[in-house]
Amino acid sequence: MGLAELARRSGGSPDRLAPDSYTATWLPPQVARHASGVDMLPVGSPGKVGILDLAFELIGDRTELTALYQKAPLHTTRPLYYDPEWPDMPYAMFLSSSGGVIQGDRYRIDVTCGADTSVHLSTVAATRVYRMDQDYASQLVNLTVGPGGYLEYLPGHTIPYVDSRYYQRIGVTVDPDATVVLGETVMGGRLVRGERHAYAAYCSDLEVRGPDGRLIFADPMRLAPSERAVTGPAVLAGFDVVASLYVVSGARPARELADAMHDALSGTGLRAGAGVLPGERGAWARILGDRSPEVTAALHLAWDVVRRLLRGVPAPDRRI
């Protein structure tokens, strides 16, 4: 399928390789101050711009991947239907052939889920953001979910290495009759090697909007240890791993979703909390811990109770 046809189906620009398509129009100052040329492989060189564009539609009684464009180093696996409790939901995994994110990299991911589709998206491994001497790296993620759709976007954790500068923007457009479950986990660095919040800047923006463009909620994260401590109160305190789970749905009362996640997390022994999203459009949970296995397990618990409430099925073990 050509780019023009894919763009028509996903509502995007047909010129995916134009710099303004994969370049963030705005950067947080913590990242913007590092913007510069790269004298090795500059932005736009082969392997520096990764693009994924996927569209899913309900075909018969199951969701199918109906459009795909991928440009190295970003790739996706063939969708798998391995969940016996939800056999019509495809599981697609994103991966990078470069093994990690380096200076000057620009990634963009677009996913369009049609009416009544059910889709699970994740990554094959953690996202490693390598040390940078020049410029920065960025990733733009755009997710669109139509009426009656159900999307889970639960990527692996992100590990910003020493002196790295990284910006990620996730934009979600969700129909009032759809559900989006979205997770994010960030580590303080390569903890087993003694790196602890030694990155230059890790910044992310999450914006969730309705089909009319009206903002439902936004959640920014700004971590720049060299400029302001990230280990104090109201930031990460003394913890090294933070995970967030957002559930945008009207299928169950927001308070019920928040209480279920709170109850599930209260027995983990981790610092965690849950609450209701603005306008009672769903619920959110945040988890703090010292080691990624415990935080990952807690995030899975929260995801599991949400799935059981919304669809009556458990969350599968994604390590299978």
Side-chain angles (χ1 to χ4, degrees):
M1 177 173 293
L3 278 175
E5 173 63 12
L6 179 58
R8 183 188 67 78
R9 301 178 68 160
S10 62
S13 165
D15 191 359
R16 294 296 190 199
L17 303 183
D20 60 356
S21 177
Y22 55 75
T23 302
T25 57
W26 177 87
L27 291 171
Q30 295 88 342
V31 175
R33 62 174 48 97
H34 298 287
S36 67
V38 180
D39 59 15
M40 291 175 284
L41 284 176
V43 176
S45 300
K48 301 295 291 179
V49 175
I51 298 174
L52 275 177
D53 213 329
L54 300 87
F56 293 89
E57 296 179 15
L58 186 66
I59 306 296
D61 59 355
R62 79 174 190 176
T63 300
E64 301 276 1
L65 176 64
T66 56
L68 169 63
Y69 174 79
Q70 54 188 353
K71 178 183 181 298
L74 289 185
H75 306 273
T76 185
T77 62
R78 178 179 179 180
L80 302 175
Y81 299 83
Y82 77 89
D83 187 351
E85 301 291 341
W86 204 334
D88 59 337
M89 171 186 266
Y91 285 69
M93 308 288 284
F94 300 157
L95 65 153
S96 172
S97 56
S98 71
V101 180
I102 62 176
Q103 58 192 21
D105 281 0
R106 304 289 189 266
Y107 293 169
R108 174 167 175 163
I109 299 173
D110 292 87
V111 180
T112 301
C113 301
D116 300 317
T117 54
S118 300
V119 180
H120 178 97
L121 304 173
S122 186
T123 56
V124 170
T127 298
R128 295 169 173 81
V129 186
Y130 291 121
R131 181 172 186 161
M132 300 177 187
D133 299 314
Q134 301 170 329
D135 204 48
Y136 64 94
S138 66
Q139 176 167 271
L140 308 178
V141 180
N142 301 296
L143 309 173
T144 302
V145 188
Y150 184 100
L151 171 65
E152 294 175 337
Y153 178 57
L154 299 171
H157 46 281
T158 301
I159 308 174
Y161 285 25
V162 61
D163 292 333
S164 60
R165 309 92 176 248
Y166 184 66
Y167 175 62
Q168 175 176 259
R169 182 190 179 279
I170 301 177
V172 182
T173 301
V174 55
D175 188 89
D177 191 38
T179 293
V180 174
V181 180
L182 188 149
E184 180 183 26
T185 303
V186 181
M187 294 180 60
R190 293 179 293 180
L191 303 178
V192 296
R193 298 189 57 163
E195 287 183 13
R196 186 170 185 266
H197 302 295
Y199 47 89
Y202 175 88
C203 297
S204 68
D205 281 308
L206 169 64
E207 293 185 0
V208 179
R209 299 178 182 272
D212 59 357
R214 184 172 300 179
L215 183 68
I216 298 174
F217 76 93
D219 191 8
M221 179 180 288
R222 303 287 185 265
L223 301 176
S226 62
E227 301 175 22
R228 185 175 181 181
V230 302
T231 55
V235 193
L236 298 185
F239 298 100
D240 297 322
V241 186
V242 57
S244 303
L245 187 69
Y246 310 87
V247 185
V248 185
S249 179
R252 300 296 287 264
R255 176 53 58 187
E256 184 181 6
L257 292 169
D259 288 345
M261 289 193 289
H262 178 273
D263 292 343
L265 295 172
S266 62
T268 63
L270 300 175
R271 186 76 59 85
V276 173
L277 290 173
E280 297 193 352
R281 292 297 303 273
W284 61 271
R286 184 154 290 159
I287 308 161
L288 293 166
D290 294 319
R291 301 179 66 250
S292 61
E294 287 83 354
V295 174
T296 299
L299 188 67
H300 187 277
L301 280 178
W303 173 37
D304 181 70
V305 298
V306 165
R307 253 202 180 207
R308 292 176 188 271
L309 275 176
L310 295 177
R311 290 302 177 101
V313 296
D317 185 349
R318 296 188 296 167
R319 298 171 297 176
I320 295 177

mmCIF file with all atom_site columns, all heavy atoms in Angstrom, residues 26-33 166-167 203-205 221-222:
data_model
loop_
_atom_site.group_PDB
_atom_site.id
_atom_site.type_symbol
_atom_site.label_atom_id
_atom_site.label_alt_id
_atom_site.label_comp_id
_atom_site.label_asym_id
_atom_site.label_entity_id
_atom_site.label_seq_id
_atom_site.pdbx_PDB_ins_code
_atom_site.Cartn_x
_atom_site.Cartn_y
_atom_site.Cartn_z
_atom_site.occupancy
_atom_site.B_iso_or_equiv
_atom_site.pdbx_formal_charge
_atom_site.auth_seq_id
_atom_site.auth_comp_id
_atom_site.auth_asym_id
_atom_site.auth_atom_id
_atom_site.pdbx_PDB_model_num
ATOM 1   N N   . TRP A 1 26  ? 7.366  21.846 18.843 1.00 0.00 ? 26  TRP A N   1
ATOM 2   C CA  . TRP A 1 26  ? 7.714  22.545 20.087 1.00 0.00 ? 26  TRP A CA  1
ATOM 3   C C   . TRP A 1 26  ? 8.483  21.588 20.978 1.00 0.00 ? 26  TRP A C   1
ATOM 4   O O   . TRP A 1 26  ? 8.193  20.382 21.007 1.00 0.00 ? 26  TRP A O   1
ATOM 5   C CB  . TRP A 1 26  ? 6.460  23.033 20.802 1.00 0.00 ? 26  TRP A CB  1
ATOM 6   C CG  . TRP A 1 26  ? 6.748  23.696 22.130 1.00 0.00 ? 26  TRP A CG  1
ATOM 7   C CD1 . TRP A 1 26  ? 7.054  25.002 22.346 1.00 0.00 ? 26  TRP A CD1 1
ATOM 8   C CD2 . TRP A 1 26  ? 6.773  23.060 23.411 1.00 0.00 ? 26  TRP A CD2 1
ATOM 9   N NE1 . TRP A 1 26  ? 7.262  25.224 23.688 1.00 0.00 ? 26  TRP A NE1 1
ATOM 10  C CE2 . TRP A 1 26  ? 7.096  24.051 24.370 1.00 0.00 ? 26  TRP A CE2 1
ATOM 11  C CE3 . TRP A 1 26  ? 6.547  21.753 23.848 1.00 0.00 ? 26  TRP A CE3 1
ATOM 12  C CZ2 . TRP A 1 26  ? 7.206  23.790 25.728 1.00 0.00 ? 26  TRP A CZ2 1
ATOM 13  C CZ3 . TRP A 1 26  ? 6.661  21.475 25.210 1.00 0.00 ? 26  TRP A CZ3 1
ATOM 14  C CH2 . TRP A 1 26  ? 6.980  22.490 26.133 1.00 0.00 ? 26  TRP A CH2 1
ATOM 15  N N   . LEU A 1 27  ? 9.476  22.110 21.684 1.00 0.00 ? 27  LEU A N   1
ATOM 16  C CA  . LEU A 1 27  ? 10.271 21.315 22.616 1.00 0.00 ? 27  LEU A CA  1
ATOM 17  C C   . LEU A 1 27  ? 10.273 21.970 23.981 1.00 0.00 ? 27  LEU A C   1
ATOM 18  O O   . LEU A 1 27  ? 10.324 23.200 24.095 1.00 0.00 ? 27  LEU A O   1
ATOM 19  C CB  . LEU A 1 27  ? 11.720 21.194 22.129 1.00 0.00 ? 27  LEU A CB  1
ATOM 20  C CG  . LEU A 1 27  ? 11.997 20.362 20.885 1.00 0.00 ? 27  LEU A CG  1
ATOM 21  C CD1 . LEU A 1 27  ? 13.450 20.556 20.456 1.00 0.00 ? 27  LEU A CD1 1
ATOM 22  C CD2 . LEU A 1 27  ? 11.700 18.889 21.133 1.00 0.00 ? 27  LEU A CD2 1
ATOM 23  N N   . PRO A 1 28  ? 10.239 21.186 25.051 1.00 0.00 ? 28  PRO A N   1
ATOM 24  C CA  . PRO A 1 28  ? 10.430 21.762 26.376 1.00 0.00 ? 28  PRO A CA  1
ATOM 25  C C   . PRO A 1 28  ? 11.810 22.420 26.441 1.00 0.00 ? 28  PRO A C   1
ATOM 26  O O   . PRO A 1 28  ? 12.766 21.938 25.815 1.00 0.00 ? 28  PRO A O   1
ATOM 27  C CB  . PRO A 1 28  ? 10.344 20.550 27.312 1.00 0.00 ? 28  PRO A CB  1
ATOM 28  C CG  . PRO A 1 28  ? 9.663  19.491 26.520 1.00 0.00 ? 28  PRO A CG  1
ATOM 29  C CD  . PRO A 1 28  ? 10.027 19.729 25.098 1.00 0.00 ? 28  PRO A CD  1
ATOM 30  N N   . PRO A 1 29  ? 11.948 23.508 27.174 1.00 0.00 ? 29  PRO A N   1
ATOM 31  C CA  . PRO A 1 29  ? 13.248 24.183 27.233 1.00 0.00 ? 29  PRO A CA  1
ATOM 32  C C   . PRO A 1 29  ? 14.366 23.286 27.745 1.00 0.00 ? 29  PRO A C   1
ATOM 33  O O   . PRO A 1 29  ? 15.522 23.484 27.371 1.00 0.00 ? 29  PRO A O   1
ATOM 34  C CB  . PRO A 1 29  ? 12.985 25.369 28.178 1.00 0.00 ? 29  PRO A CB  1
ATOM 35  C CG  . PRO A 1 29  ? 11.716 25.047 28.893 1.00 0.00 ? 29  PRO A CG  1
ATOM 36  C CD  . PRO A 1 29  ? 10.924 24.213 27.970 1.00 0.00 ? 29  PRO A CD  1
ATOM 37  N N   . GLN A 1 30  ? 14.035 22.300 28.578 1.00 0.00 ? 30  GLN A N   1
ATOM 38  C CA  . GLN A 1 30  ? 15.064 21.400 29.103 1.00 0.00 ? 30  GLN A CA  1
ATOM 39  C C   . GLN A 1 30  ? 15.734 20.601 27.988 1.00 0.00 ? 30  GLN A C   1
ATOM 40  O O   . GLN A 1 30  ? 16.899 20.206 28.108 1.00 0.00 ? 30  GLN A O   1
ATOM 41  C CB  . GLN A 1 30  ? 14.453 20.431 30.127 1.00 0.00 ? 30  GLN A CB  1
ATOM 42  C CG  . GLN A 1 30  ? 13.925 21.085 31.382 1.00 0.00 ? 30  GLN A CG  1
ATOM 43  C CD  . GLN A 1 30  ? 12.477 21.525 31.258 1.00 0.00 ? 30  GLN A CD  1
ATOM 44  O OE1 . GLN A 1 30  ? 11.937 21.660 30.156 1.00 0.00 ? 30  GLN A OE1 1
ATOM 45  N NE2 . GLN A 1 30  ? 11.840 21.755 32.384 1.00 0.00 ? 30  GLN A NE2 1
ATOM 46  N N   . VAL A 1 31  ? 15.001 20.351 26.898 1.00 0.00 ? 31  VAL A N   1
ATOM 47  C CA  . VAL A 1 31  ? 15.542 19.637 25.742 1.00 0.00 ? 31  VAL A CA  1
ATOM 48  C C   . VAL A 1 31  ? 15.975 20.611 24.659 1.00 0.00 ? 31  VAL A C   1
ATOM 49  O O   . VAL A 1 31  ? 17.017 20.435 24.017 1.00 0.00 ? 31  VAL A O   1
ATOM 50  C CB  . VAL A 1 31  ? 14.511 18.635 25.187 1.00 0.00 ? 31  VAL A CB  1
ATOM 51  C CG1 . VAL A 1 31  ? 15.023 17.986 23.901 1.00 0.00 ? 31  VAL A CG1 1
ATOM 52  C CG2 . VAL A 1 31  ? 14.193 17.563 26.222 1.00 0.00 ? 31  VAL A CG2 1
ATOM 53  N N   . ALA A 1 32  ? 15.196 21.663 24.444 1.00 0.00 ? 32  ALA A N   1
ATOM 54  C CA  . ALA A 1 32  ? 15.465 22.608 23.352 1.00 0.00 ? 32  ALA A CA  1
ATOM 55  C C   . ALA A 1 32  ? 16.843 23.239 23.464 1.00 0.00 ? 32  ALA A C   1
ATOM 56  O O   . ALA A 1 32  ? 17.478 23.522 22.436 1.00 0.00 ? 32  ALA A O   1
ATOM 57  C CB  . ALA A 1 32  ? 14.393 23.690 23.337 1.00 0.00 ? 32  ALA A CB  1
ATOM 58  N N   . ARG A 1 33  ? 17.331 23.450 24.684 1.00 0.00 ? 33  ARG A N   1
ATOM 59  C CA  . ARG A 1 33  ? 18.633 24.103 24.827 1.00 0.00 ? 33  ARG A CA  1
ATOM 60  C C   . ARG A 1 33  ? 19.774 23.241 24.306 1.00 0.00 ? 33  ARG A C   1
ATOM 61  O O   . ARG A 1 33  ? 20.890 23.730 24.111 1.00 0.00 ? 33  ARG A O   1
ATOM 62  C CB  . ARG A 1 33  ? 18.873 24.480 26.286 1.00 0.00 ? 33  ARG A CB  1
ATOM 63  C CG  . ARG A 1 33  ? 18.917 23.329 27.254 1.00 0.00 ? 33  ARG A CG  1
ATOM 64  C CD  . ARG A 1 33  ? 19.316 23.816 28.661 1.00 0.00 ? 33  ARG A CD  1
ATOM 65  N NE  . ARG A 1 33  ? 18.545 24.978 29.067 1.00 0.00 ? 33  ARG A NE  1
ATOM 66  C CZ  . ARG A 1 33  ? 17.461 24.922 29.835 1.00 0.00 ? 33  ARG A CZ  1
ATOM 67  N NH1 . ARG A 1 33  ? 17.030 23.749 30.262 1.00 0.00 ? 33  ARG A NH1 1
ATOM 68  N NH2 . ARG A 1 33  ? 16.810 26.016 30.162 1.00 0.00 ? 33  ARG A NH2 1
ATOM 69  N N   . TYR A 1 166 ? 16.113 13.544 25.690 1.00 0.00 ? 166 TYR A N   1
ATOM 70  C CA  . TYR A 1 166 ? 15.043 12.823 24.991 1.00 0.00 ? 166 TYR A CA  1
ATOM 71  C C   . TYR A 1 166 ? 13.709 13.496 25.249 1.00 0.00 ? 166 TYR A C   1
ATOM 72  O O   . TYR A 1 166 ? 13.400 13.894 26.371 1.00 0.00 ? 166 TYR A O   1
ATOM 73  C CB  . TYR A 1 166 ? 15.002 11.382 25.504 1.00 0.00 ? 166 TYR A CB  1
ATOM 74  C CG  . TYR A 1 166 ? 14.010 10.479 24.795 1.00 0.00 ? 166 TYR A CG  1
ATOM 75  C CD1 . TYR A 1 166 ? 14.168 10.146 23.461 1.00 0.00 ? 166 TYR A CD1 1
ATOM 76  C CD2 . TYR A 1 166 ? 12.931 9.927  25.486 1.00 0.00 ? 166 TYR A CD2 1
ATOM 77  C CE1 . TYR A 1 166 ? 13.282 9.295  22.819 1.00 0.00 ? 166 TYR A CE1 1
ATOM 78  C CE2 . TYR A 1 166 ? 12.030 9.074  24.857 1.00 0.00 ? 166 TYR A CE2 1
ATOM 79  C CZ  . TYR A 1 166 ? 12.217 8.761  23.519 1.00 0.00 ? 166 TYR A CZ  1
ATOM 80  O OH  . TYR A 1 166 ? 11.333 7.922  22.887 1.00 0.00 ? 166 TYR A OH  1
ATOM 81  N N   . TYR A 1 167 ? 12.922 13.623 24.173 1.00 0.00 ? 167 TYR A N   1
ATOM 82  C CA  . TYR A 1 167 ? 11.573 14.162 24.282 1.00 0.00 ? 167 TYR A CA  1
ATOM 83  C C   . TYR A 1 167 ? 10.601 13.223 23.585 1.00 0.00 ? 167 TYR A C   1
ATOM 84  O O   . TYR A 1 167 ? 10.822 12.803 22.451 1.00 0.00 ? 167 TYR A O   1
ATOM 85  C CB  . TYR A 1 167 ? 11.472 15.546 23.646 1.00 0.00 ? 167 TYR A CB  1
ATOM 86  C CG  . TYR A 1 167 ? 10.054 16.085 23.629 1.00 0.00 ? 167 TYR A CG  1
ATOM 87  C CD1 . TYR A 1 167 ? 9.372  16.321 24.823 1.00 0.00 ? 167 TYR A CD1 1
ATOM 88  C CD2 . TYR A 1 167 ? 9.404  16.359 22.428 1.00 0.00 ? 167 TYR A CD2 1
ATOM 89  C CE1 . TYR A 1 167 ? 8.072  16.817 24.813 1.00 0.00 ? 167 TYR A CE1 1
ATOM 90  C CE2 . TYR A 1 167 ? 8.107  16.862 22.412 1.00 0.00 ? 167 TYR A CE2 1
ATOM 91  C CZ  . TYR A 1 167 ? 7.450  17.091 23.612 1.00 0.00 ? 167 TYR A CZ  1
ATOM 92  O OH  . TYR A 1 167 ? 6.163  17.577 23.611 1.00 0.00 ? 167 TYR A OH  1
ATOM 93  N N   . CYS A 1 203 ? 11.981 14.315 28.988 1.00 0.00 ? 203 CYS A N   1
ATOM 94  C CA  . CYS A 1 203 ? 10.735 15.074 29.005 1.00 0.00 ? 203 CYS A CA  1
ATOM 95  C C   . CYS A 1 203 ? 9.691  14.351 28.164 1.00 0.00 ? 203 CYS A C   1
ATOM 96  O O   . CYS A 1 203 ? 9.993  13.816 27.096 1.00 0.00 ? 203 CYS A O   1
ATOM 97  C CB  . CYS A 1 203 ? 10.939 16.486 28.453 1.00 0.00 ? 203 CYS A CB  1
ATOM 98  S SG  . CYS A 1 203 ? 12.083 17.504 29.409 1.00 0.00 ? 203 CYS A SG  1
ATOM 99  N N   . SER A 1 204 ? 8.467  14.344 28.649 1.00 0.00 ? 204 SER A N   1
ATOM 100 C CA  . SER A 1 204 ? 7.386  13.728 27.889 1.00 0.00 ? 204 SER A CA  1
ATOM 101 C C   . SER A 1 204 ? 6.111  14.531 28.066 1.00 0.00 ? 204 SER A C   1
ATOM 102 O O   . SER A 1 204 ? 5.915  15.205 29.090 1.00 0.00 ? 204 SER A O   1
ATOM 103 C CB  . SER A 1 204 ? 7.166  12.276 28.324 1.00 0.00 ? 204 SER A CB  1
ATOM 104 O OG  . SER A 1 204 ? 6.640  12.212 29.645 1.00 0.00 ? 204 SER A OG  1
ATOM 105 N N   . ASP A 1 205 ? 5.265  14.470 27.057 1.00 0.00 ? 205 ASP A N   1
ATOM 106 C CA  . ASP A 1 205 ? 3.941  15.097 27.097 1.00 0.00 ? 205 ASP A CA  1
ATOM 107 C C   . ASP A 1 205 ? 2.916  14.081 26.645 1.00 0.00 ? 205 ASP A C   1
ATOM 108 O O   . ASP A 1 205 ? 3.080  13.449 25.583 1.00 0.00 ? 205 ASP A O   1
ATOM 109 C CB  . ASP A 1 205 ? 3.880  16.322 26.170 1.00 0.00 ? 205 ASP A CB  1
ATOM 110 C CG  . ASP A 1 205 ? 4.528  17.542 26.782 1.00 0.00 ? 205 ASP A CG  1
ATOM 111 O OD1 . ASP A 1 205 ? 4.172  17.893 27.924 1.00 0.00 ? 205 ASP A OD1 1
ATOM 112 O OD2 . ASP A 1 205 ? 5.399  18.148 26.123 1.00 0.00 ? 205 ASP A OD2 1
ATOM 113 N N   . MET A 1 221 ? 5.763  15.536 31.859 1.00 0.00 ? 221 MET A N   1
ATOM 114 C CA  . MET A 1 221 ? 6.836  15.123 32.773 1.00 0.00 ? 221 MET A CA  1
ATOM 115 C C   . MET A 1 221 ? 8.111  15.844 32.356 1.00 0.00 ? 221 MET A C   1
ATOM 116 O O   . MET A 1 221 ? 8.491  15.821 31.181 1.00 0.00 ? 221 MET A O   1
ATOM 117 C CB  . MET A 1 221 ? 7.051  13.613 32.735 1.00 0.00 ? 221 MET A CB  1
ATOM 118 C CG  . MET A 1 221 ? 8.177  13.126 33.644 1.00 0.00 ? 221 MET A CG  1
ATOM 119 S SD  . MET A 1 221 ? 8.418  11.329 33.601 1.00 0.00 ? 221 MET A SD  1
ATOM 120 C CE  . MET A 1 221 ? 6.965  10.769 34.486 1.00 0.00 ? 221 MET A CE  1
ATOM 121 N N   . ARG A 1 222 ? 8.770  16.481 33.300 1.00 0.00 ? 222 ARG A N   1
ATOM 122 C CA  . ARG A 1 222 ? 9.996  17.215 33.034 1.00 0.00 ? 222 ARG A CA  1
ATOM 123 C C   . ARG A 1 222 ? 11.051 16.777 34.053 1.00 0.00 ? 222 ARG A C   1
ATOM 124 O O   . ARG A 1 222 ? 10.973 17.135 35.222 1.00 0.00 ? 222 ARG A O   1
ATOM 125 C CB  . ARG A 1 222 ? 9.764  18.730 33.159 1.00 0.00 ? 222 ARG A CB  1
ATOM 126 C CG  . ARG A 1 222 ? 8.658  19.266 32.255 1.00 0.00 ? 222 ARG A CG  1
ATOM 127 C CD  . ARG A 1 222 ? 9.100  19.293 30.806 1.00 0.00 ? 222 ARG A CD  1
ATOM 128 N NE  . ARG A 1 222 ? 8.090  19.918 29.970 1.00 0.00 ? 222 ARG A NE  1
ATOM 129 C CZ  . ARG A 1 222 ? 7.159  19.248 29.294 1.00 0.00 ? 222 ARG A CZ  1
ATOM 130 N NH1 . ARG A 1 222 ? 7.124  17.910 29.371 1.00 0.00 ? 222 ARG A NH1 1
ATOM 131 N NH2 . ARG A 1 222 ? 6.294  19.885 28.542 1.00 0.00 ? 222 ARG A NH2 1
#
